Amino acid sequence: MPCNCDTDCGTPARLSASGETVSLQIDGQAVTVPAGTSLMRAAIEAGISVPKLCATDSLEPFGSCRMCLVEIEGRRGYPASCTTPAEAGMNVRTQTDKLAKLRHDVMELYISDHPLDCLTCSANGDCELQDMAGAVGLRNVRYGFDGANHLQAKKDESNPYFTYEPSKCIVCNRCVRACEETQGTFALTISGRGFESRVSPGQDQAFMDSECVSCGACVQACPTATLQDKSVISLGMPTKSIITTCAYCGVGCGFKAEVKGEQVVRMTPWKDGKANEGHSCVKGRFAWGYATHKDRITKPMIRERITDPWREVSWDEAIGYAANQFRQIQLRHGKDSIGGITSSRCTNEETYLVQKLVRAAFGNNNVDTCARVCHSPTGYGLKQTFGESAGTQTFKSVEQSDVILVIGANPTDAHPVFASRMKKRIRAGARLIVADPRRIDLVASPHVRADFHLQLKPGTNVALITALAHVVVTEGLVAADYIGERCDEKSFREWQEFVAREENSPEATAIITGVPADQVRGAARLYATGGNAAIYYGLGVTEHAQGSTMVMGIANLAMATGNVGREGVGVNPLRGQNNVQGACDMGSFPHELPGYRHVSDTTVRMQFEDAWGVPLPSEPGLRIPNMFDAASEGTFRALYVQGEDIVQSDPNTQHVTGALAQLECLVVQDLFLNETAKYAHVFLPGSSFVEKDGTFTNAERRISRVRKVMKPLGGLADWEVTVKLSNALGYAMKYTHPSQIMDEIAALTPTFHGVSYAKLDKLGSVQWPCNDDTAEAGTPIMHVDGFSRGKGRFVITQYVPSSEKVTKRFPLVLTTGRILSQYNVGAQTRRTPNNEWHDEDRLEIHPHDAEERGVNDGDWVGIASRAGETVLRAVVSERMQPGVVYTTFHFPESGANVITTENSDWATNCPEYKVTAVQISKVAQPSEWQRGYQRFNDRQLELLAQRHDSVPAK
């Protein structure tokens, strides 16, 4: 029988490609396992216990602890069962007097140099050393503590999330192996020899000073209290666990929320989570404390003007006030004068309800989502070429890739769990091409190095992708049979003629992109001829004026080389937030109903009208930028924002705040009083992912359950708030559980027809399309037998330079991105100890550009653009190329989006965050914007203080 996912089978499963099995006897029991399976795993799968300390099924066998020794008939000695493969006809004994004596004596040696503080140890009840001592029957230790020992070894508590207590280390190497095999950082080693051997995060370094990225793999692997969560030390052992899904990036890692009552004690990666297979990053593993942070707003609040103090009210009063404001505004200004914005951090069910509320209760299509400002070009571009608005592969598919092309993405910082899987494949022999203006970690780091780094100028993606295609076409590297069978011939011929033009050659485009022609040619040849080739891209592709064009260019290249429709290939957008894919799937765009079906389609619209019981508008509504423009003009008067901080995240902050200040009613539903809430008239407390039930859909189209761990601090989950608001508006919603919402989604959305909570509870997750035409668990690989649209369509990708030009006044180009320890606008991670790694946004600048301006590392620099100005601290770094500067946008006071412009993608209005012309100068004081920001913050604090003072003492 298969190994239960909660059982540690000691060594990884082995699956023979040929399906070969071997049969043997273990303790008199007949056992049959796949060829290559270890004796340890064969025994444990058969229900036979084998003692172990250095072995765990997430790591390759090591054979150092000598606890798992067995006897094999006809062989001398006592081999370790973890490193010995099962062979046909073997007769194995795991329990004999001799084995018992050997194990007892080995355990006695371990305990002779281990603190005997089990009753007060933080790992008491969750310690494998303790368990094994009991398993071998150790009752006395013959050796005293008078000689050399490690009991006084100094504890390392530098990491904010875990401690390292070397006195309890048994040198099993599990943490070192986890850092190498699972994470791929190689931050840990065994220092010293013999008795002096101990785990070390570097040469006499503390964990916080080392290359450790705090992914938690070492803590998870440790069999003792050597590496231990500080939350467990302070709160004690959890009493139960609930499987849920991480609420950070689009990887969608499965976790076990381990709790005491309703108090989260720790989050441990779920090894049966298909997206992460037991791995995690610093955010998902440790940065969950924001859910109970003191900044949480847990009482509804209202105010008539944004200069008034907030007034705490009941839920009924807040909902009633908001509903009345919306209705009165529509009576005065028309039904199209209000709208809503859904959240990519909320569940599918919650997002679905918000767009339903806008369409059915507001009576218009003025609904949009934050995907507008990140991955809307993905939806448009892939729909045009492949016929489906989503990535083609599973994350696991990269394990079959021979060539990996990463464009405009920084997986080690933004999608670290997937990056670990990718790096493992690269270490195993896959070739790597990186196209990025910066020298990201994947370009060159220990044990991973790109074959080609195409260090293009920001804004020239389309010229580069077309040059790559030029090489494929002109050198006869196209997959002719694939194209003939799978693609539209007319569009291919037109595209082929276009890319073959001399103007699209690497030599001609080098002056545009800055990438030498020989590098482009080498990369193109590798991608086209190197075997299974996969493309992974991020916001460095989509957040451009030609974002949609670039997505289509990527699709063109993949189709031209036959790299769509099987394991190890494909086009894979790395979604930024946890439910960007789901927010798009649920109909959050003003022109689409759930399932990417246009609002003008009468047949589709009638289905929703029948289900929802109201007529629906057929004209697309306002996009987010249109809402701001209309608000500034006075025709758009009210907005409901669920779980998004548009003031901090959207470009040209002055324009956004100016628009919001014109609204008669802004309703914000969130965890914290964020930047957008400063312009709100109604604040509705939101709920974190541990306070709700629902589903998230990750970047591989994987739908996974989110399960409630504790009651919402504000009393209601987000979906319940939307239900109350809709009912108050006069449109009845009668849901009593999110499963009913999913049932409605499945009934109305073809790609979700087979999705239900019962199926998700049974399988763990499913991937859409999931309906009668797919397997029970859905569709891991898209476009296997043909494209969703029928024949794949090639699209001409003419390069058009950005209208954002460098000039003498603004000679540098600013591009933006993320960093590992922080997330998006930082609302969550800034309220955790992750600030110890990154406590402010900084500006990376090349030494040449810094020297020209007299800027040194750590100096304050003013950054001016056509949109505004701000001040950041400089980091002089050769990761940048001359002429390009870079910053993150995690801290509101940095004002990163004060200087980004309103330029946007031609098809979707996705902002061009990645190309802003700027000038840098050394300064000694904060910018006017930052002074204004501080003044506004001070005023908000005064108003909050007034609110607290006005609440009668109990």
Side-chain angles (χ1 to χ4, degrees):
M1 68 178 182
C3 188
N4 183 287
C5 66
D6 287 325
T7 301
D8 188 334
C9 293
T11 63
R14 304 298 186 199
L15 297 176
S16 170
S18 63
E20 180 186 358
T21 61
V22 295
S23 296
L24 65 158
Q25 295 277 324
I26 303 180
D27 292 344
Q29 182 175 330
V31 176
T32 299
V33 294
T37 301
S38 71
L39 287 178
M40 174 180 285
R41 189 177 185 98
I44 294 174
E45 286 188 353
I48 300 169
S49 178
V50 179
K52 57 184 172 59
L53 281 173
C54 72
T56 182
D57 57 15
S58 63
L59 303 171
E60 291 299 316
F62 194 62
S64 70
C65 74
R66 314 314 293 167
M67 292 295 296
C68 70
L69 307 179
V70 294
E71 292 181 358
I72 303 174
E73 189 175 281
R75 296 193 186 183
R76 298 177 60 185
Y78 305 94
S81 61
C82 63
T83 57
T84 306
E87 296 177 12
M90 272 185 172
N91 188 354
V92 180
R93 291 183 293 275
T94 69
Q95 305 296 330
T96 67
D97 291 344
K98 183 60 177 177
L99 291 173
K101 179 69 166 60
L102 288 171
R103 291 167 181 161
H104 179 280
D105 291 350
V106 169
M107 178 56 66
E108 190 176 12
L109 290 172
Y110 279 121
I111 297 301
S112 71
D113 190 21
H114 197 85
L116 299 180
D117 60 351
C118 288
L119 292 180
T120 57
C121 178
S122 61
N124 185 25
D126 188 31
C127 173
E128 293 179 44
L129 185 68
Q130 188 181 62
D131 294 341
M132 290 304 104
V136 303
L138 184 66
R139 298 292 177 263
N140 297 293
V141 177
R142 290 169 290 172
Y143 315 109
F145 294 110
D146 295 335
N149 60 61
H150 300 89
L151 300 183
Q152 302 305 314
K154 185 179 179 181
K155 186 187 297 187
D156 179 357
E157 299 187 88
S158 61
N159 189 286
Y161 292 119
F162 61 84
T163 63
Y164 169 51
E165 194 167 356
S167 66
K168 296 183 177 180
C169 179
I170 60 172
V171 200
C172 64
N173 266 270
R174 273 165 57 164
C175 59
V176 177
R177 290 147 56 206
C179 191
E180 295 175 359
E181 296 176 25
T182 306
Q183 169 57 29
T185 297
F186 294 81
L188 301 181
T189 187
I190 300 294
S191 64
R193 301 179 65 181
F195 183 77
E196 299 303 323
S197 298
R198 273 299 177 267
V199 171
S200 172
Q203 189 66 37
D204 297 321
Q205 285 182 311
F207 265 87
M208 279 298 281
D209 299 327
S210 72
E211 294 180 357
C212 170
V213 293
S214 297
C215 69
C218 60
V219 182
Q220 185 77 1
C222 182
T224 68
T226 306
L227 289 159
Q228 180 66 285
D229 298 72
K230 287 184 175 178
S231 58
V232 172
I233 294 172
S234 63
L235 299 174
M237 279 293 164
T239 57
K240 65 176 181 178
S241 65
I242 299 167
I243 294 170
T244 190
T245 303
C246 182
Y248 280 116
C249 78
V251 174
C253 295
F255 274 87
K256 285 186 175 182
E258 301 191 13
V259 299
K260 252 186 182 180
E262 289 195 348
Q263 183 178 48
V264 178
V265 174
R266 66 182 170 195
M267 299 286 290
T268 56
W270 184 34
K271 73 178 183 180
D272 204 37
K274 299 300 188 297
N276 58 319
E277 295 186 335
H279 191 33
S280 59
C281 78
V282 62
K283 294 187 286 286
R285 178 66 164 83
F286 296 116
W288 40 265
Y290 69 88
T292 53
H293 193 274
K294 61 181 177 60
D295 288 351
R296 282 286 300 270
I297 304 295
T298 59
K299 300 289 185 182
M301 302 187 297
I302 62 175
R303 58 184 177 181
E304 290 188 8
R305 296 178 299 274
I306 63 173
T307 54
D308 291 342
W310 284 108
R311 180 166 59 91
E312 287 184 357
V313 297
S314 68
W315 273 107
D316 287 344
E317 184 176 350
I319 294 291
Y321 181 85
N324 182 62
Q325 288 291 303
F326 286 153
R327 282 300 181 226
Q328 291 301 315
I329 289 168
Q330 284 189 306
L331 286 172
R332 292 194 301 271
H333 302 285
K335 70 174 185 178
D336 292 328
S337 61
I338 68 176
I341 295 177
T342 73
S343 175
S344 293
R345 287 182 288 160
C346 288
T347 65
N348 287 317
E349 294 78 4
E350 289 161 345
T351 303
Y352 175 85
L353 286 194
V354 173
Q355 64 84 33
K356 180 179 180 179
L357 175 139
V358 171
R359 293 187 161 107
F362 289 1
N364 61 49
N365 283 317
N366 292 338
V367 62
D368 210 347
T369 184
C370 81
R372 170 73 55 210
V373 300
C374 61
H375 264 287
S376 51
T378 286
Y380 181 88
L382 295 184
K383 186 81 169 179
Q384 294 297 311
T385 50
F386 296 165
E388 200 64 84
S389 301
T392 63
Q393 312 295 117
T394 63
F395 288 131
K396 193 174 180 63
S397 172
V398 76
E399 296 173 7
Q400 305 302 319
S401 298
D402 302 305
V403 178
I404 299 167
L405 171 55
V406 177
I407 310 177
N410 187 5
T412 56
D413 279 16
H415 303 86
V417 171
F418 170 69
S420 295
R421 194 191 293 262
M422 177 188 287
K423 289 191 294 182
K424 187 173 184 178
R425 176 61 193 139
I426 294 167
R427 294 196 304 272
R431 310 283 294 279
L432 175 64
I433 305 165
V434 173
D436 199 288
R438 296 172 72 225
R439 190 176 300 158
I440 62 174
D441 287 345
L442 284 177
V443 171
S445 58
H447 309 282
V448 170
R449 183 173 294 272
D451 292 85
F452 294 96
H453 178 204
L454 310 180
Q455 194 170 18
L456 73 168
K457 299 174 183 176
T460 64
N461 286 342
V462 172
L464 177 65
I465 201 74
T466 307
L468 291 168
H470 175 93
V471 176
V472 170
V473 167
T474 59
E475 295 189 6
L477 305 179
V478 296
D481 291 344
Y482 181 94
I483 295 167
E485 179 184 346
R486 301 280 302 270
C487 302
D488 175 69
E489 182 178 357
K490 182 175 182 293
S491 67
F492 171 70
R493 295 301 173 198
E494 291 172 351
W495 174 81
Q496 182 182 42
E497 186 277 328
F498 164 74
V499 298
R501 295 174 188 171
E502 182 57 32
E503 67 198 55
N504 292 319
S505 69
E507 288 73 19
T509 56
I511 194 169
I512 298 170
T513 66
V515 182
D518 62 331
Q519 289 191 34
V520 176
R521 289 191 176 276
R525 292 164 185 156
L526 176 58
Y527 176 81
T529 66
N532 285 340
I535 299 176
Y536 294 88
Y537 71 88
L539 304 186
V541 161
T542 55
E543 291 179 345
H544 284 277
Q546 282 197 286
S548 293
T549 309
M550 181 60 179
V551 172
M552 292 186 289
I554 288 171
N556 290 339
L557 184 64
M559 288 189 292
T561 54
N563 280 306
V564 184
R566 64 182 184 277
E567 289 275 7
V569 300
V571 173
N572 306 277
L574 296 173
R575 304 284 189 163
Q577 295 191 67
N578 55 301
N579 204 34
V580 171
Q581 183 68 60
C584 299
D585 299 341
M586 293 299 102
S588 292
F589 290 131
H591 66 291
E592 289 176 335
L593 288 158
Y596 305 98
R597 291 165 295 166
H598 204 278
V599 294
S600 64
D601 187 318
T602 303
T603 302
V604 171
R605 201 171 60 256
M606 286 177 62
Q607 292 174 354
F608 284 89
E609 288 175 341
D610 290 343
W612 294 353
V614 292
L616 299 176
S618 60
E619 290 295 320
L622 298 176
R623 297 173 174 180
I624 291 175
N626 306 138
M627 292 180 190
F628 296 152
D629 291 342
S632 298
E633 294 164 2
T635 58
F636 187 76
R637 308 300 302 168
L639 181 62
Y640 171 37
V641 181
Q642 184 191 69
E644 289 297 333
D645 191 357
I646 51 180
V647 167
Q648 189 180 341
S649 64
D650 284 39
N652 195 344
T653 302
Q654 297 95 318
H655 180 57
V656 176
T657 56
L660 296 184
Q662 297 297 314
L663 295 177
E664 293 181 38
C665 183
L666 173 60
V667 178
V668 169
Q669 182 176 334
D670 216 307
L671 303 178
F672 307 104
L673 205 62
N674 59 23
E675 302 305 298
T676 304
K678 294 172 182 176
Y679 299 85
H681 305 85
V682 180
F683 187 91
L684 304 175
S687 53
S688 70
F689 79 112
V690 293
E691 299 165 78
K692 64 179 73 171
D693 284 295
T695 58
F696 293 150
T697 306
N698 75 350
E700 52 176 0
R701 296 168 285 102
R702 186 179 302 283
I703 306 161
S704 301
R705 283 279 276 117
V706 181
R707 293 179 174 87
K708 181 158 57 175
V709 173
M710 64 187 199
K711 295 184 182 72
L713 297 185
L716 297 173
D718 289 323
W719 68 272
E720 294 175 299
V721 177
T722 305
V723 167
K724 280 185 172 290
L725 180 57
S726 184
N727 290 336
L729 286 164
Y731 179 75
M733 290 186 182
K734 300 179 180 179
Y735 312 102
T736 59
H737 191 270
S739 60
Q740 298 166 335
I741 307 171
M742 178 52 73
D743 290 342
E744 181 174 314
I745 294 167
L748 292 171
T749 311
T751 50
F752 275 66
H753 274 346
V755 181
S756 68
Y757 279 26
K759 178 176 283 189
L760 293 171
D761 290 343
K762 173 187 174 184
L763 301 177
S765 63
V766 300
Q767 289 175 272
W768 71 257
C770 181
N771 49 44
D772 294 339
D773 298 327
T774 67
E776 184 181 28
T779 310
I781 307 296
M782 292 283 284
H783 317 299
V784 172
D785 298 317
F787 290 100
S788 297
R789 68 181 309 277
K791 295 287 188 179
R793 177 186 174 216
F794 286 83
V795 180
I796 302 297
T797 54
Q798 181 68 54
Y799 168 66
V800 178
S802 170
S803 61
E804 181 72 356
K805 310 289 187 185
V806 294
T807 62
K808 188 174 182 179
R809 183 183 174 195
F810 301 113
L812 303 174
V813 175
L814 169 74
T815 189
T816 62
R818 295 175 176 171
I819 199 164
L820 171 64
S821 57
Q822 297 290 349
Y823 172 70
N824 207 40
V825 297
Q828 294 146 279
T829 45
R830 281 188 282 108
R831 291 175 170 90
T832 72
N834 279 27
N835 285 351
E836 294 190 26
W837 286 279
H838 186 79
D839 61 357
E840 64 179 353
D841 294 317
R842 298 195 174 201
L843 185 83
E844 289 186 19
I845 183 170
H846 189 272
H848 171 77
D849 296 323
E851 184 178 4
E852 278 195 339
R853 291 159 176 80
V855 172
N856 296 309
D857 199 71
D859 286 348
W860 286 101
V861 293
I863 311 160
S865 75
R866 294 179 176 93
E869 66 170 39
T870 190
V871 170
L872 294 172
R873 203 185 302 272
V875 175
V876 180
S877 169
E878 291 192 350
R879 289 165 68 93
M880 306 310 303
Q881 56 181 290
V884 179
V885 292
Y886 169 88
T887 189
T888 52
F889 53 92
H890 304 301
F891 291 80
E893 59 270 23
S894 71
N897 280 324
V898 170
I899 52 178
T900 54
T901 70
E902 292 180 270
N903 295 339
S904 64
D905 173 51
W906 62 271
T908 66
N909 283 133
C910 183
E912 193 176 36
Y913 292 112
K914 305 305 183 188
V915 182
T916 303
V918 298
Q919 178 58 289
I920 308 299
S921 58
K922 188 173 179 178
V923 297
Q925 70 281 330
S927 69
E928 178 58 35
W929 180 85
Q930 286 178 314
R931 287 195 293 270
Y933 170 86
Q934 190 59 51
R935 287 195 297 270
F936 196 100
N937 258 0
D938 292 343
R939 175 59 178 156
Q940 291 295 305
L941 290 173
E942 289 175 17
L943 295 176
L944 282 172
Q946 293 173 27
R947 173 173 66 85
H948 287 300
D949 291 343
S950 67
V951 177
K954 293 182 179 179

